[in-house]
């Protein structure tokens, strides 16, 4: 009785409050957006439009830009270096999005469903922390660590191979054009793995444990539980992780700069490193701007697709609930 | 004995422990080699255990790159960005999530897009404009840029948190005569403190780890951050194995400290941040 009265009173005062000055109240809130709006204009909007504008010119950073229309974009189509850099991006998507997501799913399910249940959540948390550790490293520092481990002569990996009697497998991991891209991919899997794992484990926390118990009683093995419970239940998280990591893969810069500088012979060049060198080493600013504009368009398109998939997965998940 | 039986019973646990060991091995060998003398390193290689505690290599490297200075720069830049970006995010999210300003969906979509734009598409104009404004090669320029970029994510996250803020509290305060400004500082900010804390930690660490923009903007030795200073040295291939290892350890240490201090915040925050 009292509860309903209180609710009614609240509704009445709230309603009257809104009725008295709805317009002015909203406008006074808009003032709070002002600093943010101005800052975004200066740091994001204006530079972004400038970059798009410069991509239609030939410019070397000094003097005035010379209008060339779409010439830079036409040149990109025939530029093998540019096409190679995007082809390497696909390898990076495998190393930074596809593999970490797949491995992260299996690891998260194993940690949550098996270790967490039979050995306690503390054990699972410690193991999760080990996998997450590389994520807090600056990617440039991760690059330093690995370039030292993968060094050709006395690098730890080669030394390890020698000690265990596989001396013939020793390689110049980052200096061999046929190997360098795969070595960088391996490092990126190591860097990236913790992120999907942590997100998936958090997602699994909200899965009803009864689902697993019922499945187990019905005699469903680990694989069936994984396919029929784990995967469908955390589909929204899978889309988030895939989108997020794919974007990270397209933007990868620091690791490439530190590990290989795009070499040897362009074997590990990626779009962001390509645009960086075009801007600051070749000072072909217009051309570099075209490269980064193409990269931006691809990233924004992928983000939109990812957001769509995510909202659809969430709708589907909420659908059958009462 | 009991553990041995436990391990035999669970090959999954053994496999996971081995995988976890593989993930942490790079950290372990960095630490082991950083306290090795160059003589021992060249004689026994990177896999042997150190004979004693040799810290001169680290000390030399610390002095050579003026590491105290780099640490100070990193702390100053990351700290300012974290605080500034949280303040900016709160102001934006207050207008969007609680003020429900007109056109808020579009405003929010704008911040989400701003968050997605790669830095590559901003880097040259930012470099050029900061030169025009006399801010090139100053820590302030990096602070401004990252405050805004991090606030894009903060606005997105906080708006959805604040749109679920209990309206009764706000309306009660307004009836008691509190203005919008007082409601923000006396009610919304204190109540959302846990989320703001997570954002603060994340902004700090993300800014600490940034590479491309600081690399372009901070060319003089005195202004460089830890990540840039070490990354540039490595990129120039001027270092021998022992020195690279000292650099690796000095880069890894702050990250390890953040990790140990903020472990819970990090793992919780990343889940919150990833799924709205």
């Amino acid at each position: 009785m009292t509860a309903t009265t209180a609710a009614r009173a609240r509704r009445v005062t709230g309603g009257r409050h809104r009725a008295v000055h709805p317009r002015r109240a909203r406008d006074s809130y808009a003032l709070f957006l002002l600093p943010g709006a101005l800052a975004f204009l200066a740091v994001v909007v204006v530079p972004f439009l400038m970059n798009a504008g410069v991509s239609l010119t030939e410019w070397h950073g000094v003097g005035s830009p010379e209008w060339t229309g779409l010439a830079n974009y036409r040149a990109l189509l025939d530029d093998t270096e540019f096409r190679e850099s995007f082809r390497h991006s696909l390898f990076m998507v495998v190393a930074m999005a596809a593999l970490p997501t797949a491995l992260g799913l299996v690891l998260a399910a194993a940690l949550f469903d098996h270790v967490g249940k039979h050995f306690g959540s503390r054990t699972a948390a410690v193991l999760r922390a080990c996998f997450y550790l590389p994520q807090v490293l600056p990617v440039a520092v991760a690059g330093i660590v690995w370039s030292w481990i993968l060094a050709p002569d006395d690098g730890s990996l080669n030394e390890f191979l020698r000690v265990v009697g596989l001396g013939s497998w020793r390689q110049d991991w980052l200096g061999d054009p046929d190997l360098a891209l795969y070595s960088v991919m391996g490092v990126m899997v190591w860097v990236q793995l913790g992120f999907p794992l942590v997100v998936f484990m958090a997602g699994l926390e909200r899965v009803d444990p009864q689902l697993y118990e019922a499945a187990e009683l019905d005699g469903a093995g680990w694989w069936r539980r994984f396919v029929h419970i784990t995967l469908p239940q955390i589909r929204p998280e899978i889309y988030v992780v895939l989108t997020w990591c794919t974007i990270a893969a397209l933007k990868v810069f620091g690791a490439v700069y530190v590990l290989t500088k795009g070499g040897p012979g362009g074997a590990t060049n990626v779009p962001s490193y390509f645009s960086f060198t075009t801007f600051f080493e070749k000072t072909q600013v217009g051309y570099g701007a075209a490269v980064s504009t193409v990269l931006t368009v691809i990233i924004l398109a992928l983000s939109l697709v990812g957001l769509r998939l995510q909202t659809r997965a969430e709708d589907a998940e909420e659908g059958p609930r009462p | 004995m009991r553990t041995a039986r436990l391990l035999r019973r669970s090959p999954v646990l053994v496999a996971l422990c081995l995988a976890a060991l593989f993930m942490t091995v790079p950290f372990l060998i960095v630490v082991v080699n950083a306290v090795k003398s160059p003589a021992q390193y060249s004689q026994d290689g990177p896999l042997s255990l150190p004979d004693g505690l040799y810290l001169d290599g680290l000390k030399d490297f610390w002095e050579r790159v003026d590491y105290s200075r780099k640490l100070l720069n990193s702390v100053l830049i990351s700290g300012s960005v974290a605080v500034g970006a949280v303040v900016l995010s709160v102001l934006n999210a207050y207008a969007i999530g609680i003020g429900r300003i007109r056109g808020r969906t579009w405003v929010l979509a704008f911040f989400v897009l701003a968050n997605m734009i790669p830095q590559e598409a901003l880097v040259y104009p930012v470099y050029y404009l900061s030169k025009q404004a006399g801010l090139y090669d100053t820590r302030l320029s990096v602070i401004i840029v990252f405050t805004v970029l991090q606030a894009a994510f903060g606005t997105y996250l906080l708006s959805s948190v604040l749109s679920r803020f209990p309206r009764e509290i706000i309306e009660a305060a307004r009836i008691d005569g509190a203005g919008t400004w007082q409601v923000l500082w006396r009610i919304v900010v204190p109540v959302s403190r846990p989320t703001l804390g997570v954002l603060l930690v994340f902004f700090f660490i993300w800014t600490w780890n940034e590479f491309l923009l600081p690399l372009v903007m901070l060319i003089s030795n005195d202004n460089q951050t830890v990540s840039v200073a070490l990354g540039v040295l490595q990129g120039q291939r001027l270092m021998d194995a022992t020195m690279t290892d000292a650099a690796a350890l000095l880069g890894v240490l702050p990250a390890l400290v953040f990790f140990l201090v903020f472990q819970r915040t990090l793992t919780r925050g990343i889940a919150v941040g990833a799924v709205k």
Side-chain angles (χ1 to χ4, degrees):
Chain A
M1 194 58 206
T2 35
T4 34
T5 325
R8 198 179 302 137
R10 210 181 298 133
R11 221 179 302 133
V12 168
T13 47
R16 192 180 53 204
H17 185 69
R18 245 177 314 225
V20 172
H21 41 250
R23 195 63 169 273
R24 232 185 56 207
R26 279 191 162 193
D27 287 347
S28 71
Y29 278 111
L31 279 179
F32 287 88
L33 207 59
L34 203 61
L38 289 177
F40 271 86
L41 204 63
V43 174
V44 178
V45 179
V46 168
F48 179 69
L49 295 177
M50 266 177 80
N51 189 71
V54 167
S55 76
L56 302 172
T57 67
E58 193 182 325
W59 189 37
H60 297 281
V62 287
S64 50
E66 187 188 323
W67 181 264
T68 54
L70 292 173
N72 283 327
Y73 292 93
R74 269 195 293 273
L76 279 180
L77 290 175
D78 297 325
D79 188 340
T80 46
E81 212 183 338
F82 173 76
R83 269 185 306 195
E84 276 295 288
S85 75
F86 268 97
R87 199 173 67 84
H88 298 151
S89 271
L90 294 179
F91 284 82
M92 287 300 156
V93 170
V94 171
M96 290 178 70
L99 283 176
T101 304
L103 288 172
L105 274 170
V106 174
L107 286 172
L111 279 176
F112 186 84
D113 188 22
H114 184 80
V115 176
K117 255 163 224 162
H118 300 291
F119 303 95
S121 57
R122 248 201 124 70
T123 318
V126 169
L127 286 172
R128 181 185 61 183
C130 291
F131 288 101
Y132 186 68
L133 196 54
Q135 274 278 305
V136 287
L137 273 193
V139 80
V141 173
I144 298 172
V145 171
W146 278 98
S147 64
W148 168 73
I149 291 174
L150 299 175
D153 297 322
D154 57 354
S156 307
L157 180 59
N158 280 340
E159 188 68 12
F160 174 77
L161 289 174
R162 194 181 59 81
V163 168
V164 297
L166 294 169
S168 57
W169 290 16
R170 293 159 57 108
Q171 302 286 347
D172 185 359
W173 301 99
L174 294 168
D176 181 338
D178 295 330
L179 261 181
L181 187 59
Y182 298 104
S183 303
V184 174
M185 284 173 74
V187 174
M188 295 325 288
V189 173
W190 180 81
V191 167
Q192 203 72 359
L193 184 57
F195 175 71
L197 177 66
V198 168
V199 175
F200 293 154
M201 282 187 77
L204 286 171
E205 304 250 330
R206 60 175 173 74
V207 177
D208 187 352
Q210 287 184 339
L211 281 178
Y212 283 101
E213 281 159 24
E216 213 158 350
L217 282 179
D218 289 346
W222 186 85
W223 179 249
R224 288 188 63 113
R225 294 202 301 271
F226 179 71
V227 174
H228 294 290
I229 302 175
T230 308
L231 286 187
Q233 288 289 326
I234 60 172
R235 193 170 300 154
E237 278 85 355
I238 297 176
Y239 287 133
V240 172
V241 163
L242 275 177
T243 313
W244 203 258
C245 292
T246 304
I247 293 172
L250 292 174
K251 291 200 279 197
V252 63
F253 175 80
V256 168
Y257 180 94
V258 172
L259 280 171
T260 60
K261 287 215 143 196
T268 57
N269 203 3
V270 288
S272 63
Y273 189 77
F274 182 51
S275 73
F276 171 81
T277 49
T278 313
F279 279 137
F280 297 103
E281 281 167 25
K282 299 179 203 148
T283 60
Q284 295 175 348
V285 182
Y287 199 59
V291 175
S292 60
T293 305
V294 171
L295 186 63
T296 309
V297 170
I298 292 175
I299 286 176
L300 289 183
L302 274 173
S303 313
L304 291 177
V305 172
L307 280 174
R308 275 305 284 274
L309 285 174
Q310 186 199 338
T311 44
R312 204 182 296 164
E314 275 163 10
D315 290 346
E317 193 205 2
E318 277 158 19
R321 274 188 205 153
Chain B
M1 267 324 273
R2 258 188 65 210
T3 41
R5 218 175 318 132
L6 209 66
L7 291 180
R8 218 176 313 126
R9 255 209 346 239
S10 174
V12 176
L13 185 69
V14 178
L16 282 170
C17 288
L18 282 176
L21 184 71
F22 174 76
M23 293 299 282
T24 41
V25 152
F27 293 95
L28 300 178
I29 51 174
V30 161
V31 174
V32 164
N33 284 286
V35 296
K36 227 180 250 179
S37 68
Q40 200 209 340
Y41 186 95
S42 57
Q43 196 192 328
D44 301 343
L47 297 182
S48 67
L49 285 172
D51 291 338
L53 211 56
Y54 175 86
L55 294 174
D56 288 5
L58 275 175
K59 210 176 117 231
D60 288 348
F61 186 77
W62 186 296
E63 281 160 7
R64 221 190 72 155
V65 300
D66 196 0
Y67 196 70
S68 321
R69 175 98 201 181
K70 313 293 191 244
L71 272 177
L72 181 75
N73 288 336
S74 275
V75 170
L76 189 80
I77 291 174
S78 306
S80 315
V81 168
V83 174
V86 166
V87 171
L88 207 56
S89 309
V90 168
L91 292 177
N92 289 341
Y94 186 54
I96 297 170
I98 288 184
R100 309 264 170 96
I101 50 161
R102 272 166 289 164
R104 61 181 173 278
T105 322
W106 292 106
V107 176
L108 196 60
F110 168 74
F111 282 109
V112 174
L113 281 182
N115 187 40
M116 301 288 184
I117 292 175
Q119 285 176 19
E120 286 78 6
L122 306 175
V123 67
Y124 201 90
V126 165
Y127 163 83
Y128 183 80
L129 290 173
S130 68
K131 271 194 163 170
Q132 301 293 311
L135 286 172
Y136 178 61
D137 198 18
T138 62
R139 289 166 296 188
L140 181 63
S141 61
V142 177
I143 292 173
I144 294 173
V145 172
F146 280 126
T147 298
V148 176
L149 292 183
Q150 310 284 33
F153 177 79
T155 303
Y156 167 60
L157 184 77
L158 270 183
S159 295
S160 78
V161 171
L162 290 189
S163 67
R164 279 170 299 173
F165 198 90
R167 315 276 319 162
E168 295 89 337
I169 308 181
I170 294 169
E171 273 157 20
R174 302 223 48 166
I175 290 164
D176 289 345
T180 41
W181 187 249
Q182 279 166 315
V183 170
L184 174 60
W185 286 115
R186 299 258 177 86
I187 293 164
V188 175
V189 169
V191 171
S192 339
R193 192 167 290 151
T195 318
L196 301 186
V198 171
L199 278 183
L200 205 66
V201 171
F202 264 81
F203 291 162
F204 186 89
I205 294 177
W206 285 345
T207 310
W208 187 284
N209 293 354
E210 279 292 344
F211 190 68
L212 171 64
L213 263 166
L215 174 74
V216 171
M217 300 294 286
L218 303 173
I219 41 148
S220 73
N221 240 325
D222 281 348
N223 293 330
Q224 275 171 355
T225 60
V226 171
S227 305
V228 172
L230 300 182
V232 168
L233 265 180
Q234 176 65 23
Q236 287 166 344
R237 306 254 175 274
L238 292 173
M239 298 192 285
D240 58 27
T242 14
M243 211 179 280
T244 308
D245 184 61
L249 184 72
L250 290 180
V252 165
L253 276 182
L256 280 180
V257 172
F258 299 148
F259 183 73
L260 293 174
V261 175
F262 297 121
Q263 220 257 94
R264 269 153 192 272
T265 323
L266 282 172
T267 45
R268 195 180 311 142
I270 206 161
V272 173
V275 191
K276 354 193 212 204

